[in-house]
Amino acid sequence: MAPHLNIVPSMFVLLLLFISASKVQSDAFDVVAKFGAKADGKTDLSKPFLDAWKEACASVTPSTVLIPKGTYLLSKVNLEGPCKAPIEINVQGTIQAPAAPSAFKDPNWVRFYSVENFKMFGGGIFDGQGSIAYEKNTCENREFRSKLPVNIRFDFVTNALIQDITSKDSKLFHINVFACKNITLERLKIEAPDESPNTDGIHMGKSEGVNIIASDIKTGDDCISIGDGTKNMVIKEITCGPGHGISIGSLGKFQNEEPVEGIKISNCTITNTSNGARIKTWPGEHGGAVSEIHFEDITMNNVSSPILIDQQYCPWNKCKKNEESKVKLSNISFKNIRGTSALPEAIKFICSGSSPCQNVELADIDIKHNGAEPATSQCLNVKPITSGKLNPIPCSGPIPKTPSATA
């Protein structure tokens, strides 16, 4: 059922790109030595960082912006292309955002826009210092939330490699990938408290050829969330938890959402999360399509809802509960998923009554409930295709009249 994903070719192109770039003597733009930045945790890095970027971006030979070890305060920075040659940022230090949410008037802190042939690496840390924001970010306080910044944004970035970077305590999402093509995020570390609201680890939308590999994500929301318009994506070797799992969606909330298709999630370990492998769409609202989604070789450790299709997603009880979701789901598989469930309902397929899920496959599932009751499986408006050993037995449990809300 899976389409041909052009992931390996795109990664090969990236590898060749940066190998060839390294053969050319790159110009080094040191924000401290050349642009006067101070690693004292008090002096704003914004101007030295932006000045170094502009000079490097104007270089006709491959160039590197260096942020040496130390602690830097950064109010915000918008790093724009296009650049004249491949460009790198070597982040060795810790970059801290202002702790006060009032320092931000829009949801941007570090933003890369319209950049091609880009690499960021170095083992550095982007620290959003989000603890004050977590206390005030409530469902009712939407205006406050709308101004909270994402730690790192990649908008309209093409052919990029992001390696060995840490995002810590973001006030909102840690990393947002929008309208990007052929971007690989590898060996990332993402961390925030499990009670931190809306701190998705990596969120993306309207992007193609995104790879997320060998990363450790601990946060208060989805470890990875996949929005509309995402195509041909690979997620593998992820450790997730705490958090809300790895999610397709939420979808169907807005008009004219683009299809999500060709997503493969494999060789992941999900621990102490509210959800595991999840697809979520809003009831009523607007249409959309999700197809060719494949979860394989995943270990679940004490996950509340290890396998979940939720087409009645309504986290704040502010939705059209009496209407069916208009998002069509098809060609979805869950294979070789093993481990333990914190609740008896290990598998829940709550599909739309007006557009039932099509071609949903369960193969080689072994999930045990941590409690005294056996694990169960619930199915609504779907007839899964099954094979291999299956525990719990598919569709063996009753569907409650009002399925429980999921975060």
Side-chain angles (χ1 to χ4, degrees):
M1 298 193 317
H4 177 67
L5 302 182
N6 293 316
I7 301 303
V8 173
S10 66
M11 292 179 67
F12 184 66
V13 168
L14 279 173
L15 183 61
L16 288 178
L17 166 69
F18 292 112
I19 288 175
S20 62
S22 66
K23 290 180 179 178
V24 181
Q25 181 62 43
S26 65
D27 297 324
F29 297 86
D30 187 325
V31 297
V32 174
K34 190 172 180 180
F35 296 92
K38 295 181 180 180
D40 58 7
K42 298 181 294 183
T43 305
D44 192 357
L45 178 63
S46 295
K47 187 177 187 303
F49 195 179
L50 183 58
D51 288 347
W53 172 267
K54 286 181 177 179
E55 285 199 27
C57 189
S59 172
V60 295
T61 59
S63 56
T64 301
V65 175
L66 172 63
I67 301 177
K69 291 183 178 179
T71 300
Y72 305 83
L73 174 68
L74 175 68
S75 56
K76 69 179 296 184
V77 69
N78 189 38
L79 304 171
E80 296 188 7
C83 298
K84 293 184 178 180
I87 185 169
E88 299 179 338
I89 297 182
N90 182 350
V91 183
Q92 299 177 1
T94 296
I95 302 174
Q96 294 182 331
S102 59
F104 296 90
K105 305 304 179 186
D106 58 54
N108 297 310
W109 180 38
V110 178
R111 182 184 185 231
F112 297 92
Y113 177 80
S114 190
V115 182
E116 188 172 355
N117 301 333
F118 170 65
K119 181 180 180 181
M120 183 163 67
F121 64 101
I125 300 170
F126 291 85
D127 183 356
Q129 299 205 95
S131 58
I132 297 174
Y134 304 154
E135 297 173 3
K136 298 181 179 180
N137 186 2
T138 63
C139 295
E140 295 75 23
N141 202 351
R142 293 188 178 183
E143 183 178 353
F144 172 80
R145 185 168 63 247
S146 70
K147 296 178 182 179
L148 293 177
V150 172
N151 259 12
I152 308 172
R153 284 185 181 272
F154 299 102
D155 295 339
F156 300 93
V157 173
T158 301
N159 296 336
L161 180 61
I162 315 300
Q163 286 182 324
D164 303 310
I165 293 294
T166 294
S167 176
K168 178 182 178 184
D169 294 341
S170 181
K171 293 178 176 65
L172 202 69
F173 294 0
H174 286 265
I175 296 173
N176 194 81
V177 177
F178 176 76
C180 294
K181 188 172 183 180
N182 297 338
I183 179 170
T184 294
L185 303 103
E186 184 176 22
R187 300 194 300 270
L188 302 188
K189 185 175 181 181
I190 294 173
E191 52 187 33
D194 58 2
E195 69 274 11
S196 57
N198 304 115
T199 53
D200 292 40
I202 303 172
H203 177 77
M204 72 224 54
K206 295 181 171 59
S207 297
E208 184 171 1
V210 178
N211 309 300
I212 305 175
I213 302 170
S215 296
D216 182 21
I217 305 174
K218 298 177 173 68
T219 192
D221 210 296
D222 292 325
C223 291
I224 298 172
S225 56
I226 300 166
D228 76 295
T230 305
K231 299 179 181 180
N232 297 338
M233 177 180 186
V234 165
I235 299 169
K236 65 180 182 179
E237 300 166 17
I238 304 299
T239 58
C240 164
H244 295 178
I246 299 176
S247 298
I248 311 294
S250 61
L251 298 168
K253 182 69 172 174
F254 304 103
Q255 288 185 341
N256 303 317
E257 290 185 352
E258 297 178 15
V260 175
E261 58 188 27
I263 315 295
K264 183 175 181 180
I265 301 102
S266 64
N267 297 104
C268 298
T269 300
I270 303 177
T271 302
N272 294 329
T273 58
S274 56
N275 307 286
R278 173 167 68 156
I279 300 172
K280 50 180 175 174
T281 74
W282 290 81
E285 304 298 345
H286 305 285
V290 177
S291 63
E292 303 295 352
I293 310 297
H294 306 288
F295 294 92
E296 297 181 9
D297 302 319
I298 297 175
T299 299
M300 306 283 183
N301 297 315
N302 196 47
V303 175
S304 295
S305 295
I307 297 175
L308 176 63
I309 294 176
D310 183 6
Q311 294 209 260
Q312 296 181 4
Y313 179 70
C314 186
W316 311 301
N317 291 320
K318 294 181 179 180
C319 60
K320 301 175 181 178
K321 283 188 173 182
N322 296 326
E323 296 185 20
E324 300 291 342
S325 175
K326 297 179 176 65
V327 180
K328 297 180 180 180
L329 308 185
S330 63
N331 298 337
I332 298 163
S333 67
F334 302 88
K335 296 181 179 180
N336 194 27
I337 299 179
R338 303 171 186 278
T340 57
S341 172
L343 299 175
E345 301 85 6
I347 301 173
K348 290 197 288 188
F349 291 156
I350 311 299
C351 293
S352 170
S354 61
S355 182
C357 299
Q358 300 292 321
N359 296 329
V360 176
E361 182 178 358
L362 281 171
D364 299 309
I365 307 296
D366 188 8
I367 302 175
K368 299 178 177 65
H369 177 217
N370 275 334
E373 304 172 58
T376 63
S377 169
Q378 301 174 350
C379 298
L380 179 66
N381 302 315
V382 63
K383 295 180 180 179
I385 302 164
T386 62
S387 63
K389 180 182 177 181
L390 297 170
N391 177 44
I393 298 170
C395 309
S396 56
I399 295 290
K401 291 184 179 179
T402 306
S404 58
T406 60

